[in-house]
Amino acid sequence: MTLTFSEDVYKIDKAGGNSKGEGLSKDENLMNLALSEARKAIKEGEVPVGAILVKDKRVLARDHNRTIHLNDPSAHAEILLLRKAGEKLKNCRLPGATLYVTLEPCLMCAGAMIQARIAHLVYGAPDPKAGAVASVYHVFADKKLNHTVRVTGGVLENECRALLQSFFKDRR
């Protein structure tokens, strides 16, 4: 299975492939887009977390951490792209959307995903210090909440982790 991208639309091609994404799953190909956003964050001196939001075979939004650049502690990649997608669709709810992010979301981002009614979260590396999905907290497992988010973790985990480790190693 191969994905091709054109004007923010992705198309699944089960028959053939291309040299860029051959042998990768749909989730891996889409996580590679999130990784490209994370690399943009590095160039801006930001923690390299990137995210994309997909719905109905369309990439609705993509972004990366910009807390330092925007002087905004809430400017995590997930929050920025939820804002963009909400504006694009003229709706604060994004049912049926899948959010791809290179690092397990924090409490703030997990809460925003619940409020936005995200259907599926796909993340790369776990966050053993602040992860709110599987590492430290298990927000989406709370039965008291009125929405659940399906979760797939560990997609391109090694690549996502290596990018973060390299960034922090260079900072020390």
Side-chain angles (χ1 to χ4, degrees), residues 23-36:
L24 298 179
S25 72
K26 176 183 98 172
D27 284 347
E28 290 169 330
N29 273 294
L30 291 167
M31 187 60 74
N32 271 322
L33 285 180
L35 278 164
S36 71

Side-chain angles (χ1 to χ4, degrees), residues 14-122:
K14 294 181 181 181
N18 62 27
S19 59
K20 191 171 185 180
E22 196 160 335
L24 298 179
S25 72
K26 176 183 98 172
D27 284 347
E28 290 169 330
N29 273 294
L30 291 167
M31 187 60 74
N32 271 322
L33 285 180
L35 278 164
S36 71
E37 284 295 323
R39 289 183 193 96
K40 290 178 187 176
I42 290 174
K43 291 177 183 173
E44 297 173 12
E46 300 277 359
V47 174
V49 176
I52 66 164
L53 191 72
V54 176
K55 183 177 179 184
D56 300 327
K57 296 188 178 186
R58 293 190 74 78
V59 176
L60 291 178
R62 59 180 82 202
D63 219 319
H64 53 277
N65 277 6
R66 291 192 282 141
T67 59
I68 297 166
H69 178 74
L70 296 175
N71 299 309
D72 180 355
S74 71
H76 290 196
E78 302 96 319
I79 299 296
L80 294 172
L81 75 90
L82 289 173
R83 288 176 183 158
K84 282 181 178 179
E87 284 181 29
K88 187 180 256 186
L89 297 179
K90 306 289 185 230
N91 195 339
C92 66
R93 304 285 193 230
L94 305 166
T98 300
L99 193 151
Y100 290 82
V101 63
T102 57
L103 181 66
E104 178 184 0
C106 70
L107 278 168
M108 174 183 66
C109 294
M113 285 180 230
I114 291 167
Q115 294 301 315
R117 305 300 191 263
I118 297 299
H120 188 192
L121 165 69
V122 180

